[in-house]
């Protein structure tokens, strides 16, 4: 939910741009279209401390991403998890 108590269905464009051009964007595919279709995979490939290192992402944006992932049954990866392990986990989600 956002500050007004509404469910967060979409991410602001600034966050989407940061995810699509961030260090884990390649997890979503090679082309911008593939990455756009796999935005949840890209977002879930970050640990919270990693996402905070991306340009344009601060604590409030990280909270927003976390809520957005949670609404889809996902979460930031734990720092000990490998990004490659996550993609296998995501593929098994119905």
């Amino acid at each position: 939910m956002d500050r007004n108590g509404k469910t967060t269905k979409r991410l602001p464009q600034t966050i989407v741009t940061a995810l699509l051009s961030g260090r884990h964007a390649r997890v979503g595919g090679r082309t911008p279209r593939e990455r756009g279709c796999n935005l949840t995979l890209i977002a879930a490939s970050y640990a919270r401390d990693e996402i905070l290192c991306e340009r344009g992402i601060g604590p409030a944006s990280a909270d927003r991403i976390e809520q957005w992932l949670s609404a889809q049954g996902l979460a930031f990866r734990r720092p000990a998890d490998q990004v490659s392990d996550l993609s296998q986990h995501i593929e098994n989600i119905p």
Side-chain angles (χ1 to χ4, degrees):
M1 288 192 195
D2 65 11
R3 292 181 188 150
N4 299 321
K6 296 180 183 177
T7 303
T8 306
K9 294 181 182 179
R10 293 180 52 174
L11 292 174
Q13 188 61 41
T14 54
I15 294 175
V16 171
T17 301
L19 290 171
L20 293 177
S21 61
R23 73 183 77 183
H24 292 304
R26 70 187 183 286
V27 172
R30 290 185 175 184
T31 66
R33 182 180 177 96
E34 288 174 339
R35 290 177 180 182
C37 290
N38 293 310
L39 195 59
T40 53
L41 177 60
I42 295 169
S45 69
Y46 283 93
R48 185 176 177 85
D49 59 334
E50 285 181 317
I51 197 75
L52 290 169
C53 294
E54 290 293 346
R55 184 180 185 134
I57 303 292
S61 294
D63 290 344
R64 189 94 182 252
I65 296 166
E66 194 166 30
Q67 292 168 359
W68 179 72
L69 286 170
S70 178
Q72 297 176 61
L74 299 170
F76 286 129
R77 72 175 175 82
R78 296 175 306 213
D81 292 341
Q82 295 293 325
V83 174
S84 60
D85 294 340
L86 179 71
S87 62
Q88 292 172 354
H89 172 72
I90 295 292
E91 291 172 1
N92 295 327
I93 294 177

